[in-house]
Amino acid sequence: MAGLRERIIPWGGKDYACTPTMRILQRCEVRDFSLSRFLDKYGTGDPEIGMTCMLLSEVLTAAGANDATEEAIYDMLMSGKGWDDVVLPIVEALAPSVDPKKPDAQPAG
């Protein structure tokens, strides 16, 4: 699958190997998260902060960053930090892309 790739995310002075999984997405969807809406809003420069914090908390916690609460992520993002080194890698890990080993394959969508 072209999406759901591992990314290294810095948090609390440590690097975590994070992979958004279907289980994580399903937990978020139970809480009204929509991946297509999330990616669309992020892509237009109007990210939903609450959804971003929820997703990042789920992904980082699954990778072992137990202090990555939604509130802590919110504080970081509202200080203007984390967008390039925390949020962007997760967006890249979620966004469908063409597998370089299969350049003729197109992402589903």
Side-chain angles (χ1 to χ4, degrees):
M1 180 173 191
L4 305 179
R5 296 174 306 275
E6 180 181 279
R7 292 289 189 261
I8 303 301
I9 307 296
W11 181 261
K14 295 170 77 175
D15 288 338
Y16 292 90
C18 298
T19 304
T21 64
M22 289 305 300
R23 183 173 302 271
I24 290 170
L25 292 176
Q26 290 163 348
R27 276 199 311 264
C28 290
E29 286 175 346
V30 168
R31 296 175 56 199
D32 199 32
F33 176 85
S34 164
L35 179 58
S36 58
R37 185 178 72 213
F38 171 79
L39 293 173
D40 179 60
K41 298 290 266 178
Y42 184 84
T44 61
D46 187 26
E48 294 180 321
I49 303 302
M51 295 295 163
T52 302
C53 294
M54 176 178 45
L55 177 63
L56 291 174
S57 177
E58 288 282 346
V59 171
L60 282 162
T61 300
N66 296 324
D67 62 341
T69 64
E70 291 178 37
E71 293 79 8
I73 293 166
Y74 175 83
D75 289 344
M76 175 192 64
L77 296 178
M78 291 299 100
S79 72
K81 299 175 184 166
W83 290 100
D84 292 334
D85 58 344
V86 178
V87 179
L88 181 59
I90 295 299
V91 170
E92 291 173 344
L94 289 166
S97 65
V98 175
D99 184 337
K101 296 175 186 169
K102 302 175 186 172
D104 294 333
Q106 295 298 315

